[in-house]
Amino acid sequence: MRILKATFKLVAILLAACVLVLAVAISYNKDCPGPEGLAPPGTETFTGVSYACYGPPEVLQFTQMEKPVPGEQEVLVRVHWAGVNPLDWHYMRGSPYLMRLGSGLGSPSDTRMGVDFSGTVEAVGAGVTRFKPGDEVFGGANGSFAQYVIVKEAGAIALKPANISFAQAGTVAIAGVTALQALQEKGQLQPGQKVLINGASGGVGTFAVQIARSMGAEVTGVSSQRNHELLRSLGASHVIDYKQQSYAEGDERYDLIVDMISNHSPMANSRVLNPEGRLVMIGGASGDWVGPLKGPLLAMLQSPMVEQEVIVLMARLSAEDMEGLAELMRNGDLTPVIGKTYPLKEIADAMALSESGRARGKIAIDIMHDE
């Protein structure tokens, strides 16, 4: 028995030591070097935003990068506008720390910034058939906070609808696809059903309200009172001021809840869901360790005790969804809501606003006119 206890004690000590070593490794920040060019001397360059270390918006740098040449199945886009998403500052901060297992320990392995973009096709690879130089496009690709971005022809890129501006189109990719997948693929929303959107005035929320309305749903939006008029104009039939009322304590029942805030547990949401309803959780609390994982952890722990299906969404960009969003915009069913615009030179301020959680709609970055 003594040997068994000693063995268990040794194993526990070893596990604790491994956890401590991992915690130190993933939370370590390397010193931030000064601005460096990413292009060999004598090559054609363009300006882009990069970050050589994790930290606040001040770590962002303006870097001269080598202008790329599109490969066989690639498209070179001259970027006009880009959109800011929480994903961007999560990468900038390297937070939550666990994401550094994929983005780089100590410092980022890929120093480019931004995903959402709109612009004009400048060149295409020899095998590209969907696009040609001069086409106006939008989509999502790594490194969009820059004058040029390379996108795979089969990637998240589509023709920009003529009735949508470059500024609007440049904010669509991540938020639009997230809202679309939450409602259609994961939420399986049907005409006539009731959907509640928690965090309806933010980037994903403003897309979700409009897409849900276009699907024939009865939409309830949760936000502060100052955004209620906006939500009604987007198609919300009902609005709730979260400062005055908790929707989880109301009498209404919903077929689907899309939760961008995660300020109610799955069990609390279950109380206002119909028996066959669904809860789709997106985003969550801030924090370097457990905070952002609180929603998924609660979903995992409480799912067995909840009658309805609980889904944690990790959206993925695709050409199919970009085409779907383009069609919604072309038909007038979806119009991106831009709360504030910045020139590229003020990217740090734009990231700070996004990180504050006070942004209304989308934040757009003017790249074409910041030269």
Side-chain angles (χ1 to χ4, degrees):
M1 181 63 72
R2 287 182 178 180
I3 295 176
L4 187 59
K5 288 183 177 180
T7 301
F8 281 144
K9 184 176 181 180
L10 178 60
V11 170
I13 292 173
L14 289 174
L15 286 175
C18 289
V19 170
L20 179 61
V21 170
L22 178 62
V24 171
I26 64 176
S27 62
Y28 170 65
N29 288 333
K30 291 183 179 178
D31 292 336
C32 205
E36 294 183 1
L38 300 181
T43 59
E44 187 175 0
T45 65
F46 67 97
T47 301
V49 175
S50 67
Y51 69 129
C53 59
Y54 296 121
E58 288 72 27
V59 304
L60 300 178
Q61 304 172 351
F62 294 99
T63 307
Q64 289 304 301
M65 303 178 180
E66 182 177 4
K67 184 177 178 180
V69 176
E72 180 79 10
Q73 302 292 334
E74 293 180 335
V75 178
L76 175 64
V77 177
R78 176 67 169 90
V79 180
H80 292 198
W81 286 78
V84 176
N85 296 282
L87 178 69
D88 300 317
W89 57 260
H90 277 298
Y91 272 105
M92 178 187 73
R93 293 274 185 180
S95 174
Y97 290 142
L98 285 175
M99 71 183 294
R100 299 186 183 191
L101 296 175
S103 65
L105 296 178
S107 61
S109 54
D110 187 341
T111 61
R112 297 171 297 171
M113 288 295 297
V115 178
D116 292 358
F117 73 87
S118 67
T120 303
V121 174
E122 181 161 307
V124 299
V128 172
T129 58
R130 290 178 60 211
F131 304 99
K132 64 182 185 303
D135 282 347
E136 297 181 348
V137 295
F138 75 105
N142 194 30
S144 68
F145 294 164
Q147 293 171 325
Y148 289 93
V149 69
I150 284 281
V151 193
K152 292 185 181 298
E153 180 187 21
I157 181 173
L159 292 174
K160 181 184 75 67
N163 59 326
I164 297 295
S165 70
F166 278 109
Q168 292 170 318
T171 67
V172 170
I174 289 181
V177 167
T178 300
L180 192 68
Q181 292 178 3
L183 294 165
Q184 292 185 352
E185 179 182 340
K186 303 300 183 182
Q188 299 182 16
L189 186 64
Q190 301 298 316
Q193 288 189 330
K194 295 181 178 181
V195 56
L196 179 137
I197 299 169
N198 187 24
S201 62
V204 177
T206 52
F207 282 101
V209 169
Q210 296 178 79
I211 294 172
R213 178 206 58 194
S214 74
M215 296 173 67
E218 183 179 329
V219 183
T220 297
V222 181
S223 73
S224 62
Q225 186 174 9
R226 74 183 182 93
N227 292 315
H228 284 181
E229 184 178 348
L230 168 65
L231 296 184
R232 290 191 180 96
S233 72
L234 297 178
S237 301
H238 314 282
V239 289
I240 296 174
D241 181 359
Y242 70 88
K243 295 180 180 180
Q244 301 296 325
Q245 174 188 352
S246 170
Y247 72 83
E249 298 174 358
D251 297 326
E252 191 61 69
R253 295 294 179 266
Y254 305 96
D255 300 292
L256 172 64
I257 293 176
V258 178
D259 187 2
M260 266 74 69
I261 309 299
S262 293
N263 56 348
H264 296 89
S265 70
M267 291 186 68
N269 278 297
S270 175
R271 298 188 192 103
V272 290
L273 275 172
N274 288 323
E276 301 299 321
R278 290 170 175 245
L279 168 64
V280 179
M281 302 180 70
I282 305 167
S286 60
D288 293 326
W289 294 100
V290 178
L293 304 176
K294 182 179 178 181
L297 287 173
L298 281 175
M300 181 176 64
L301 293 172
Q302 295 185 5
S303 286
M305 298 176 282
V306 172
E307 179 181 6
Q308 301 89 350
E309 186 171 1
V310 180
I311 302 159
V312 177
L313 174 63
M314 295 292 290
R316 65 196 184 283
L317 296 179
S318 70
E320 181 181 2
D321 284 337
M322 298 309 300
E323 292 289 355
L325 291 166
E327 187 65 17
L328 286 168
M329 291 188 288
R330 193 173 292 114
N331 293 339
D333 292 323
L334 179 64
T335 302
V337 176
I338 296 177
K340 193 168 180 61
T341 64
Y342 291 88
L344 183 61
K345 63 185 178 183
E346 296 178 13
I347 185 64
D349 292 336
M351 294 285 272
L353 175 61
S354 177
E355 194 172 5
S356 74
R358 297 192 298 270
R360 184 188 196 198
K362 292 290 299 182
I363 301 170
I365 306 299
D366 187 350
I367 294 177
M368 178 67 106
H369 303 102
D370 191 52
E371 302 171 0

